[in-house]
Amino acid sequence: AQTPPEAAFAIPGSGSLREHARAHGLLAGAAVNIQLLASDQIYARVLAEQYNILVAENAMKWSALRPAADKYAFEQGDALVSFAESHQIKVRGHNFVWHEALPDWFSATVTKDNAKQFLVDHIMAVGGHYKGKIHSWDVVNEAVLPKDGRPDGLRKSPWMELLGPDYIDTAFRTARQADPHALLTYNEYGVEYDNDEDAERRAVTLQLLRRMKSANVPIDAVGIQSHIKAGSPFTIGRGLQDYMASLRQMGLKILVTELDVNEDDLPYDDVAQRDHAIAETYRNYLSIVLAEPSVTAVLTWGVSDSHTWLNSGPTHHKKQPDRPQRALLFDDAYQPKEAFFAIRDSFDNRKSGRL
Ligand code: XIL
């Protein structure tokens, strides 16, 4: 359905997320689809009005930046950076190292002998290209996976197979060199819930970070992805609180990098009921997370329900194929949903003056 621009119910200025966040020492952000930014004026307007930090959902991953082993394609990333600059919005870089989104040529071209050079060259080229324009880089994304069975709990990713666990330190040291002013971030999922699986992932992540710290590897922040669920049988509380306190004691800042609410498990179809449960899930989560003084930013993984990754891609995110997920803050017509107000309230409820 076509929505005329004047129907967009953005709440600009003093009512915006960015203003409510700023008043409490926070950045409010979202992941951006670059094609939409170019084609949908309402989307662009909502981004400009609501957020003071943005991140590319896919445009700064290897698969987007590296059409060939000897080529870099910066156009999409540049489009985000110039949009952000023209609206006084900060930009996160996502990401230098991940086991997914590697280009098709990667596996046939990158070998144990040249992998370190590929890694260093990529980070120097991309980090250098965006030098001085990036608030924080996700240097390494999702390196922990205890169920892969390694004694150190790290994932058997392509980078691990090629370089061993040193790839992590190499990436961070190179990133510092490429852009000395970006906050260097380790980004991870599955650390939110009070259950055994998440507890193990928290323990392994802390062990990794402690080892890095003691080896003087440059790292400034940790991202908690925060892909959470409405209707989960598990609670969020003590485990996450202790994890965040440990990060703070290590001198690390904390960023909520990819917040959204998967609502597939809700046992009812009624839209208003679901939207309420989603909003309460955001509210409860942020009441815990924002009580931690080291948290400096909250970014959602997308803007409106029509474009959430939970409705596309891998089916494990979608148990109910006939029921589109309503994961985000704005509905298909960019009307703010109950979740928008729950998040804004959560910013307001944060005790001020602690940053
Ligand atoms: C997802 C994007 O949202 C999708 O469009 C893409 O097809 C796959 O990647 N954790 C991350 C993100 O760190 O980069 C992922 O983004 C979602 C999970």
Side-chain angles (χ1 to χ4, degrees):
Q2 278 293 98
T3 312
E6 56 278 13
F9 186 138
I11 301 176
S14 61
S16 66
L17 288 177
R18 64 180 279 165
E19 264 314 296
H20 284 246
R22 194 197 52 77
H24 296 87
L26 286 166
L27 295 167
V32 176
N33 176 320
I34 311 298
Q35 284 76 31
L36 270 183
L37 177 60
S39 63
D40 181 340
Q41 286 176 38
I42 310 173
Y43 179 74
R45 179 179 145 191
V46 171
L47 292 181
E49 287 178 351
Q50 294 303 325
Y51 302 107
N52 49 14
I53 189 164
L54 296 172
V55 61
E57 184 170 1
N58 292 303
M60 292 194 193
K61 294 172 182 173
W62 274 69
S63 53
L65 287 172
R66 303 296 300 277
D70 58 351
K71 284 207 179 72
Y72 289 83
F74 289 118
E75 295 76 16
Q76 294 197 6
D78 290 358
L80 176 63
V81 169
S82 75
F83 174 81
E85 277 177 345
S86 67
H87 295 283
Q88 289 82 48
I89 299 174
K90 295 181 195 299
V91 178
R92 305 201 65 243
H94 176 81
N95 53 52
F96 285 141
V97 182
W98 193 27
H99 62 283
E100 285 186 37
L102 291 167
D104 292 338
W105 54 264
F106 189 91
S107 62
T109 310
V110 182
T111 64
K112 286 189 178 174
D113 288 337
N114 64 20
K116 186 167 181 184
Q117 200 60 48
F118 265 99
L119 181 62
V120 168
D121 287 351
H122 180 85
I123 295 174
M124 289 306 291
V126 177
H129 181 82
Y130 292 115
K131 182 178 171 175
K133 300 181 171 185
I134 299 291
H135 166 270
S136 48
W137 264 110
D138 287 335
V139 178
V140 174
N141 194 32
E142 305 182 349
V144 166
L145 193 61
K147 73 168 195 271
D148 272 356
R150 287 176 52 94
D152 59 9
L154 298 179
R155 181 189 294 269
K156 291 181 175 168
S157 76
W159 292 109
M160 176 64 85
E161 306 291 342
L162 289 162
L163 293 172
D166 278 358
Y167 82 87
I168 297 173
D169 297 12
T170 301
F172 276 89
R173 292 190 200 283
T174 309
R176 182 67 98 219
Q177 220 186 313
D179 187 351
H181 296 295
L183 295 173
L184 303 187
T185 306
Y186 176 74
N187 195 41
E188 192 55 87
Y189 73 95
V191 295
E192 296 84 8
Y193 282 92
D194 287 324
N195 60 30
D196 292 347
E197 191 182 343
D198 284 21
E200 190 178 12
R201 299 178 56 91
R202 287 189 288 269
V204 169
T205 306
L206 287 173
Q207 183 182 300
L208 166 67
L209 296 167
R210 290 205 175 97
R211 195 211 34 82
M212 290 169 66
K213 279 288 202 183
S214 67
N216 277 318
V217 175
I219 175 165
D220 308 301
V222 168
I224 299 177
Q225 288 191 5
S226 310
H227 295 293
I228 57 174
K229 289 180 163 226
S232 167
F234 302 109
T235 56
I236 294 178
R238 193 56 191 269
L240 182 60
Q241 287 165 331
D242 290 351
Y243 178 66
M244 293 190 296
S246 302
L247 297 174
R248 176 187 358 109
Q249 284 150 17
M250 295 169 71
L252 297 167
K253 291 195 165 75
I254 301 171
L255 314 170
V256 172
T257 49
E258 305 185 12
L259 177 60
D260 61 8
V261 174
N262 182 320
E263 49 112 355
D264 253 7
D265 290 327
L266 290 176
Y268 33 78
D269 290 331
D270 180 72
V271 161
Q273 254 187 304
R274 280 159 59 204
D275 281 353
H276 182 65
I278 293 161
E280 290 304 295
T281 305
Y282 276 114
R283 192 187 294 280
N284 293 335
Y285 185 69
L286 289 177
S287 75
I288 288 162
V289 164
L290 294 180
E292 167 52 56
S294 296
V295 174
T296 61
V298 175
L299 293 90
T300 55
W301 203 244
V303 174
S304 90
D305 290 338
S306 31
H307 310 113
T308 168
W309 72 304
L310 297 173
N311 285 333
S312 62
T315 46
H316 66 268
H317 295 301
K318 215 161 147 22
K319 296 181 198 148
Q320 309 210 45
D322 301 326
R323 198 177 90 176
Q325 298 234 29
R326 302 178 58 83
L328 288 167
L329 283 59
F330 295 88
D331 69 13
D332 296 355
Y334 297 103
Q335 305 280 341
K337 297 163 54 195
E338 200 178 329
F340 172 96
F341 298 100
I343 292 177
R344 214 178 56 169
D345 286 351
S346 304
F347 293 162
D348 293 342
N349 290 337
R350 188 182 214 200
K351 293 184 197 72
S352 54
R354 293 192 298 176
L355 286 171

